[in-house]
Amino acid sequence: MPVTTLSPSDFFEPIGPYSHLARAGNFITISGTPGIDPATQDFAGTDAYSHSQQIVKNFRTLLAAAGAQLSDVLHVNVYLKHVEDFAEMNRAFAEEFGNHKPARTVICVADLPKKGALMTMDLTAVINESMGSDSIDFPPIHCLPQTDQQKVEQKI
């Protein structure tokens, strides 16, 4: 399956030898993205809320260029410089993603490659072309009773 990469010409330049986005079939990954506004080529603001909001807006733009949308996002990694920024990052993230709640990991880091960045995020998305981008109702997950679970663990 061929891999297609994309770094839109009207977007900010990556700070290294990589593309903003890669797609193979229905699988999409977006590289670590700081809160840079492509129109100004500068950070969208000075606070975590502004950075987070801009990152998700950038995701929306990049996903659209690959034929996807936010509802196709499977997982997001968030790298925060300051744990105190978690609440404001979370607020903007929730506002931008709306009812879609992809899996997410948040990690606090000592520093980021982009000077001045308060955070960066990357994501994984999957386009389900046969069913569109609508959500799928999964069957309920049934857990083993505790005694059966213990038996399974003993065999491992």
Side-chain angles (χ1 to χ4, degrees), residues 61-134:
T61 299
L62 290 165
L63 287 165
Q69 55 193 354
L70 285 179
S71 63
D72 294 314
V73 174
L74 180 67
H75 187 268
V76 177
N77 288 308
V78 180
Y79 304 93
L80 282 176
K81 277 187 69 173
H82 309 287
V83 72
E84 299 83 14
D85 289 338
F86 181 84
E88 286 300 285
M89 174 279 298
N90 215 34
R91 183 168 69 96
F93 188 96
E95 288 174 10
E96 291 296 322
F97 272 94
N99 290 331
H100 180 58
K101 294 175 175 51
R104 187 180 79 182
T105 303
V106 179
I107 301 169
C108 290
V109 296
D111 207 357
L112 294 163
K114 180 70 174 171
K115 189 159 182 70
L118 298 176
M119 69 187 73
T120 188
M121 298 184 201
D122 60 48
L123 69 71
T124 303
V126 178
I127 301 172
N128 187 338
E129 291 176 352
S130 66
M131 300 185 77
S133 295
D134 297 330

Side-chain angles (χ1 to χ4, degrees), residues 48-56 88-89 92-93 119 121:
Y49 178 86
S50 299
H51 283 224
S52 182
Q53 188 176 50
Q54 185 63 52
I55 291 168
V56 180
E88 286 300 285
M89 174 279 298
F93 188 96
M119 69 187 73
M121 298 184 201

Side-chain angles (χ1 to χ4, degrees), residues 143-155:
C143 296
L144 294 172
Q146 185 65 28
T147 55
D148 291 340
Q149 180 67 36
Q150 289 170 341
K151 289 176 188 175
V152 170
E153 290 172 354
Q154 289 172 355
K155 289 181 181 180

